[in-house]
């Protein structure tokens, strides 16, 4: 079999929508799975919307997701240029070929594509027809996802507008031919265009590519497609919200594709190995923020602590939890405690705030709850001299000193823990208490205990 060549053909809009990202991703996966080529072709014929900025958002989004292209902007290739706005000479040449084959005509200043067989040329004629004019077979599309789809094109259509600009259907097909595209993987919203495209391929004497139309992505709840206003719709927003590209990419793979055993968390190598058309679902996919967040948390917990710290430092600095020059060792020690508990990077600043700030918020409900059992101030007052007397301030030493004290008082050591945690953090929960005290360090802990007693 000849080499697979797939393309992602976005029209930059200024946003990188999750639906587009999914189309890019599925094409990329298919290329990597088959050892073929992944081509990025920018369909920038709409001059108003195609700004530098719109292109930047798109390319950055793809790079963030780790989708590299073998041919396209920045990397070049044998079938360039890869911007439709620069391919006019190629369109002129292909238009001439259609003209020579007698498959075009001019009407009202526009150039029309003449369908094969005898068809209607105006909508009125189509509506008023008494005789069935369509004599040729309907177009049959053997879609790799949808199965057999039949559709008739009943009317000729415009391929070059009055102002000389070529229409989407025309340039899209010309480029797919000129770039040797073997498989067209795109959103289901394009299925209705496909019969026009097949007619054009045939008119050029080209074999149409294999089509694979992938299902829509529905919004989290209710009917309707995910729109750019829905939370989670824009790829460029994920980084700022503390999502890891590997987690987002893994999640997007699951929007319309699933491996046979329904596994969810998979590294990209495994997905590449298993990705194929039979695993693409026919039914619509539904965006699920909770599932994405859960996957992200799993990826976060797996990060090596140095990378986790690198990722979290700017987030904490932006929230004012730390300053830019916060000590790396202390930060890393704190994050080592927080990482196993982290559900998202968004929650993290609040979770670790008191490690860095002395004026942390105090949870009033926890205060009430603790006070019901015993006076926390007198418990802390008991513990203070024990901790002050410690030679080494590590978790084990703290533990045995407190155990010794509790035993002497005829108490369990756990009776002291809630008051101790509350005194140093203002919270009822958090990382494991003893390692947390060790990380906070003697000075900070003792100062807070003294302040607590007042
Ligand atoms: N520019 C079209 C789009 O963004 C490409 C469609 C296709 O993949 O053929 O929807």
């Amino acid at each position: 079999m000849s080499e697979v060549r797939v393309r992602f053909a976005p029209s930059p809009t200024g946003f990188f929508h999750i639906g587009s990202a999914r189309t890019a991703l599925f094409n990329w996966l298919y290329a990597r799975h088959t050892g073929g080529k992944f081509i990025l072709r920018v369909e920038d014929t709409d001059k108003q919307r195609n700004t530098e900025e719109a292109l930047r958002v798109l390319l950055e989004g793809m790079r963030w997701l780790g989708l590299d292209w073998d041919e396209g902007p920045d990397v070049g290739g044998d079938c360039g240029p890869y911007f439709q706005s620069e391919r006019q000479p190629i369109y002129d040449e292909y238009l001439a070929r259609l003209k020579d084959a007698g498959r075009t005509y001019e009407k009202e200043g526009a150039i029309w594509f003449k369908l094969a067989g005898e068809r209607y040329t105006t909508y009125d004629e189509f509506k008023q027809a008494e005789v069935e004019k369509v004599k040729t077979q309907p177009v049959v599309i053997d879609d790799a996802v949808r199965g057999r789809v039949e559709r008739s094109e009943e009317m000729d259509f415009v391929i070059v507008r009055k102002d000389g600009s070529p229409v989407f259907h025309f340039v899209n097909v010309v480029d797919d031919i000129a770039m040797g595209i073997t498989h067209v993987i795109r959103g289901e919203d394009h299925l209705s265009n496909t019969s026009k495209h097949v007619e054009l391929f045939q008119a050029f004497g080209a074999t149409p590519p294999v089509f694979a139309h992938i299902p829509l992505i529905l919004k989290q709840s209710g009917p309707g497609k995910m729109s750019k206003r829905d939370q989670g719709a824009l790829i460029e927003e994920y980084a700022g919200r503390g999502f890891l590209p590997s987690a987002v990419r893994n999640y997007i793979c699951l929007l319309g594709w699933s491996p046979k055993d329904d596994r969810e968390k998979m590294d990209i190598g495994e997905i590449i190995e298993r990705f194929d058309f039979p695993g693409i679902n026919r039914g619509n996919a539904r965006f699920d923020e909770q599932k994405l967040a859960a996957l992200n948390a799993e990826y976060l917990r797996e990060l090596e602590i140095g990378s986790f710290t690198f990722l979290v430092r700017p987030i904490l600095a932006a929230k004012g939890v730390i300053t830019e020059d916060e000590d790396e060792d202390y930060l890393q020690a704190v994050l080592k405690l927080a990482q196993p508990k982290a559900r998202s990077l968004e929650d993290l600043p609040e979770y670790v705030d008191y490690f860095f700030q002395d004026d942390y918020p105090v949870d009033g409900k926890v205060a009430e709850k603790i006070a019901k059992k015993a006076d926390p101030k007198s418990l802390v007052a008991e513990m203070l001299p024990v901790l002050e007397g410690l030679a080494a301030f590590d978790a084990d030493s703290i533990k045995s000193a407190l155990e010794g004290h509790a035993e002497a008082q005829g108490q369990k050591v756990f009776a002291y823990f809630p008051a101790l945690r509350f005194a140093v953090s203002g919270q009822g929960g958090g990382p494991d208490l003893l390692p947390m005290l060790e990380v906070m360090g003697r000075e900070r802990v003792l100062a807070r205990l003294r302040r607590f007693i007042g």
Side-chain angles (χ1 to χ4, degrees):
M1 202 177 104
S2 63
E3 185 184 62
V4 165
R5 288 176 61 82
V6 290
R7 83 315 193 260
F8 172 48
S11 307
T13 55
F15 308 98
F16 193 27
H17 190 272
I18 190 165
S20 289
R22 198 261 316 251
T23 299
L25 180 57
F26 280 20
N27 276 285
W28 179 84
L29 285 171
Y30 194 65
R32 297 296 170 259
H33 174 77
T34 55
K37 291 281 190 289
F38 175 56
I39 294 144
L40 174 58
R41 177 175 84 223
V42 183
E43 303 211 328
D44 58 345
T45 48
D46 179 344
K47 290 191 186 71
Q48 307 270 296
R49 295 164 92 187
N50 290 289
T51 58
E52 284 277 314
E53 170 61 10
L55 181 67
R56 188 190 57 78
V57 169
L58 180 79
L59 300 189
E60 267 180 20
M62 287 186 68
R63 290 199 184 99
W64 188 74
L65 286 173
L67 305 181
D68 55 336
W69 49 98
D70 306 302
E71 293 175 30
D74 296 351
V75 300
D78 292 341
C79 301
Y82 292 92
F83 291 92
Q84 286 190 330
S85 58
E86 297 169 13
R87 295 175 64 80
Q88 192 57 47
I90 299 166
Y91 304 140
D92 292 342
E93 188 192 314
Y94 273 77
L95 185 64
R97 277 169 58 181
L98 277 190
K99 254 184 206 159
D100 291 349
R103 299 298 299 274
T104 64
Y105 58 90
E106 250 187 84
K107 198 174 75 185
E108 289 153 12
I111 300 174
W112 290 66
F113 173 64
K114 189 171 168 344
L115 291 167
E118 207 181 328
R119 314 284 180 104
Y120 309 103
T121 55
T122 66
Y123 189 63
D124 284 344
E125 193 192 347
F126 168 53
K127 274 201 316 195
Q128 292 159 13
E130 282 162 26
V131 206
E132 181 66 80
K133 245 187 168 183
V134 179
K135 299 217 170 71
T136 51
Q137 295 293 311
V139 171
V140 176
I141 304 149
D142 248 326
D143 194 274
V145 175
R146 315 285 316 173
R148 186 186 160 99
V149 179
E150 270 190 38
R151 237 187 111 88
S152 297
E153 279 306 317
E154 266 118 10
M155 276 178 40
D156 296 347
F157 54 92
V158 172
I159 48 175
V160 180
R161 298 185 194 87
K162 273 186 212 164
D163 66 3
S165 61
V167 167
F168 159 71
H169 305 299
F170 178 71
V171 292
N172 185 264
V173 168
V174 167
D175 286 346
D176 283 344
I177 296 171
M179 294 181 176
I181 299 303
T182 58
H183 296 73
V184 168
I185 305 168
R186 61 184 176 191
E188 199 182 282
D189 44 333
H190 283 292
L191 187 58
S192 58
N193 294 325
T194 306
S195 43
K196 282 193 180 65
H197 296 184
V198 170
E199 295 271 5
L200 281 165
F201 277 106
Q202 288 168 348
F204 283 114
T207 312
V210 173
F211 289 98
H213 285 94
I214 54 186
L216 300 177
I217 303 176
L218 302 179
K219 54 176 80 190
Q220 176 106 28
S221 54
K225 285 209 285 189
M226 188 108 169
S227 90
K228 68 169 190 271
R229 285 170 299 279
D230 292 316
Q231 156 126 322
L234 304 182
I235 300 302
E236 57 272 26
E237 287 180 358
Y238 279 102
R241 293 174 57 212
F243 281 90
L244 294 175
S246 49
V248 175
R249 182 175 60 191
N250 188 158
Y251 178 69
I252 297 176
C253 288
L254 303 173
L255 285 172
W257 173 79
S258 50
K260 280 196 198 72
D261 55 8
D262 284 332
R263 284 254 315 285
E264 298 197 327
K265 185 171 178 297
M266 282 174 281
D267 70 46
I268 196 67
E270 187 182 349
I271 296 177
I272 287 172
E273 201 179 302
R274 301 176 69 172
F275 186 85
D276 209 347
F277 294 142
I280 299 180
N281 312 323
R282 273 196 201 193
N284 290 331
R286 192 177 285 284
F287 183 75
D288 180 346
E289 174 92 19
Q290 283 69 36
K291 191 160 147 182
L292 166 62
L295 258 183
N296 192 53
E298 280 190 62
Y299 276 87
L300 282 175
R301 286 194 288 270
E302 275 179 10
L303 277 186
E304 189 264 319
I305 188 64
S307 317
F308 188 70
T309 308
F310 179 77
L311 198 76
V312 171
R313 177 183 275 280
I315 297 174
L316 296 183
K319 290 271 182 210
V321 171
I322 61 170
T323 53
E324 298 289 347
D325 56 358
E326 179 62 52
D327 179 69
E328 180 72 12
D329 290 342
Y330 182 57
L331 178 59
Q332 211 174 88
V334 170
L335 293 181
K336 222 173 188 161
L337 296 176
Q339 190 185 18
K341 315 258 178 173
R343 275 176 299 121
S344 81
L345 292 182
E346 269 176 326
D347 301 342
L348 209 61
E350 206 183 316
Y351 191 76
V352 300
D353 180 58
Y354 57 80
F355 281 93
F356 306 95
Q357 304 290 328
D358 285 327
D359 58 346
Y360 44 82
V362 168
D363 187 330
K365 286 218 179 77
V366 176
E368 260 174 51
K369 204 174 138 198
I370 294 176
K372 269 186 199 148
K373 293 214 171 118
D375 174 26
K377 282 193 186 182
S378 54
L379 288 179
V380 169
E382 272 181 46
M383 286 181 280
L384 183 59
V386 177
L387 296 175
E388 279 171 338
L390 277 177
F393 208 78
D394 58 78
D396 285 344
S397 311
I398 297 170
K399 183 166 180 253
S400 45
L402 289 178
E403 274 171 354
H405 173 77
E407 208 173 315
Q409 300 294 312
Q411 291 278 4
K412 289 262 185 299
V413 73
F414 298 113
Y416 290 87
F417 280 6
L420 189 50
R421 177 187 291 283
F422 183 67
V424 298
S425 71
Q427 301 297 308
D432 292 342
L433 179 63
L434 297 167
M436 164 171 146
L437 295 173
E438 176 179 329
V439 166
M440 283 182 156
R442 179 200 302 272
E443 259 180 64
R444 193 181 269 112
V445 169
L446 296 182
R448 288 183 183 186
L449 295 184
R450 290 184 193 116
R451 183 177 73 170
F452 186 73
I453 302 170

